[in-house]
Amino acid sequence: MNKRYSRIALIAFAGTLAGCTVGPDFVKPSPVVPPAWTAGAANPAGKVPSALTSSAPETDAWWQSFRDPELVSLISRAATENLDLREAALRIAEARAQRDISAADQLPSVSGNASYTNQRISTTTAQGSLFGSFGKLGGGLPVNIPSFPNPYNQYQIGFDASWEPDVFGGVRRSVEAAGADVEASQEDARAALISLEAEIARDYIDLRNAQGQLAITNRDLVTEQQIRLLARQRHDAGLGTDLDVVNATAELRQTQSQLPPLSRTIESDINQLSQLLAREPGALGTELRASAPVPPVPAKIRIGLPGDLVRRRPDIRGAEARLHGATARVGVAVATLFPSLTFNANLGTQAERFPDLAEWASRFYSIGPSLQIPIFEGGRLRATVQLADLKEKEAALDYANTVLNAVHEVENAIVAYDSEQRRRAALGATLIQNRDALGLARDRYKSGLTTFLDVLDAERNARQTELAMAASTAAVSTNLVALYKALGGGWEENGDTGGHVAQNIGR
């Protein structure tokens, strides 16, 4: 009875200790961010550009603000078809499986076993000779000495059980770290989704820009053909020179040389978009080859405050989850410095004949605890604790660096977006003047009041400004995409992007 009470007391003591968890508890870091966006390089007054507002951002997908159904369709399809996202979903599933493996260490392990052996001991050995002759020793004596058959059968059915109470919380810390790894994997998947959305938008804008520049170049070819015809007509009338005709032809050929690179860019962008949607090269050609304008930017954009980045940016949330995991692993390392208690049990039945397994006398068991105390490990355990502590400090620095990079990335994106808008406005005014100058030069050339070089210069300036204007329009939209990406994407604060991606594993 006393032994039973001792076992109960030992188990109760272990259960009491199981509430102890060593190592530091994770505390959410407090990021250092400015109270508002400055964008001072773009605005001497130090204020956010008027097109951007610091009010709370909308939760709608940012690409819908471009009001381009084709862009919305491409991004929607890529979210379910892209191979990188499906791979990220598998990494989430792997992290969850690893968490479940760690959690299983909190529970007892029980296994069953059954065996049959037929064994013969060699009689030419000292042991075999002794067993073979042992039964003959009782001849003529009133004592019945049992004999040992050789060979003999052995049947066995049993169960093994073991349980190591999580006395100092090492397993709980391991589960906590694995849970943080799951969160980090989900944020990595979200970051991959945001990068994919931005890449599709950039490629799509580049495609529409190339198509627009191709259309501008073709219009310029018509204008240059008219200028060359005018030069030839004046030459035939004795009012111009051969040089005018040659210069006009050279300018025409120069413009024609711009067509192949633009066509190559169009095909390359279509192939890139096809790849992002996990399609073969040119699969989207029929859908995208028809020209369309560059998606225009909205008049007002709500970007929120710097403090909102902590909730929206997946790289910041992922860095926080990794810091959480590193903190928990300090506790895992500290727990190895303390004793470990294990309860083992082995029971079953064992008999020479199979029917005898049901006999009460065939039972066997072995039950008892074991205690393991680390005494000397050559400094390995304490070095492991030190390593875990250093990794926690490294993760904390990585988190601070991630926040700092995010703030600078947004500031730079704001400057780029605002400055490109002002550049586009200046180019628009310049283009009006260049077109007026071209009209005046052609009229004066017809009247013989100016040389043909003035016409070529005016035409060249108008063409270059129009192409620059088209490129600037595309740059404004591209810079807005970069700003949206820097701000953290679609801002679905309560959405589980990892789960959204994970549901496409079976596709």
Side-chain angles (χ1 to χ4, degrees), residues 115-464:
S115 65
Y116 161 75
T117 57
N118 180 271
Q119 184 172 351
R120 182 184 186 280
I121 300 176
S122 172
T123 57
T124 60
T125 64
Q127 181 184 17
S129 177
L130 176 62
F131 284 176
S133 60
F134 194 72
K136 301 176 182 179
L137 297 178
L141 298 176
V143 179
N144 183 19
I145 299 178
S147 63
F148 293 89
N150 190 26
Y152 65 93
N153 295 324
Q154 179 171 301
Y155 296 88
Q156 178 175 317
I157 297 177
F159 295 90
D160 295 320
S162 66
W163 176 50
E164 181 179 342
D166 191 19
V167 178
F168 297 101
V171 176
R172 291 193 295 277
R173 290 300 192 191
S174 179
V175 174
E176 181 183 352
D181 291 341
V182 173
E183 294 179 10
S185 297
Q186 291 174 336
E187 295 303 330
D188 289 343
R190 185 172 183 269
L193 177 59
I194 292 174
S195 296
L196 172 67
E197 293 163 349
E199 182 62 27
I200 289 177
R202 284 194 295 263
D203 291 339
Y204 181 77
I205 291 171
D206 188 68
L207 169 66
R208 296 314 188 193
N209 176 45
Q211 291 174 336
Q213 296 211 22
L214 182 64
I216 292 172
T217 303
N218 284 325
R219 290 198 303 269
D220 290 339
L221 284 175
V222 174
T223 301
E224 291 173 2
Q225 288 172 349
Q226 294 173 350
I227 292 175
R228 184 179 66 169
L229 178 61
L230 175 61
R232 185 175 298 279
Q233 289 173 346
R234 287 182 57 79
H235 172 270
D236 294 342
L239 301 175
T241 65
D242 292 339
L243 183 59
D244 293 345
V245 177
V246 172
N247 284 334
T249 303
E251 193 70 20
L252 178 64
R253 297 291 182 260
Q254 172 65 26
T255 302
Q256 288 175 337
S257 69
Q258 303 303 315
L259 297 178
L262 292 172
S263 298
R264 182 180 67 248
T265 299
I266 291 172
E267 294 303 319
S268 177
D269 288 336
I270 291 176
N271 288 338
Q272 178 67 14
L273 289 169
S274 299
Q275 182 178 1
L276 292 175
L277 267 68
R279 301 287 301 279
E280 66 277 6
L284 302 178
T286 303
E287 178 180 346
L288 298 175
R289 198 160 281 121
S291 297
V294 171
V297 299
K300 293 289 183 180
I301 302 165
R302 299 162 58 181
I303 63 175
L305 295 172
D308 298 330
L309 286 182
V310 180
R311 298 192 304 270
R312 293 201 307 254
R313 290 265 302 212
D315 56 343
I316 295 178
R317 298 196 307 212
E320 180 182 318
R322 290 182 177 87
L323 175 58
H324 187 178
T327 303
R329 288 185 174 90
V330 174
V332 175
V334 171
T336 61
L337 299 175
F338 295 87
S340 60
L341 180 66
T342 304
F343 294 94
N344 297 300
N346 180 19
L347 56 97
T349 62
Q350 191 178 74
E352 182 181 355
R353 296 187 308 114
F354 185 77
D356 294 341
L357 289 175
E359 298 289 335
W360 182 249
S362 298
R363 74 189 187 281
F364 71 91
Y365 67 85
S366 173
I367 301 176
S370 63
L371 182 66
Q372 184 175 0
I373 303 175
I375 298 177
F376 179 74
E377 297 288 345
R380 180 176 61 85
L381 297 181
R382 294 196 177 277
T384 302
V385 175
Q386 182 183 13
L387 177 61
D389 184 64
L390 291 173
K391 286 184 177 294
E392 180 193 19
K393 290 181 172 61
E394 181 182 358
L397 290 176
D398 180 69
Y399 175 83
N401 191 42
T402 301
V403 173
L404 181 63
N405 288 339
V407 173
H408 278 280
E409 186 177 345
V410 174
E411 288 281 1
N412 293 335
I414 292 174
V415 171
Y417 179 71
D418 180 64
S419 61
E420 192 61 45
Q421 281 190 316
R422 291 186 283 112
R423 176 174 179 267
R424 182 179 61 175
L427 286 171
T430 303
L431 181 59
I432 294 175
Q433 299 297 323
N434 285 340
R435 286 173 175 171
D436 291 341
L438 176 59
L440 290 174
R442 291 177 66 174
D443 293 340
R444 289 173 63 83
Y445 178 66
K446 288 180 181 180
S447 302
L449 299 177
T450 187
T451 65
F452 186 69
L453 291 178
D454 293 333
V455 177
L456 289 181
D457 287 341
E459 190 278 329
R460 188 181 299 114
N461 290 336
R463 181 180 73 251
Q464 291 176 350

Side-chain angles (χ1 to χ4, degrees), residues 71-89:
L71 176 61
V72 173
S73 174
L74 289 172
I75 292 180
S76 176
R77 283 179 284 168
T80 59
E81 298 174 6
N82 182 262
L83 298 181
D84 289 335
L85 289 187
R86 294 166 67 180
E87 185 177 354

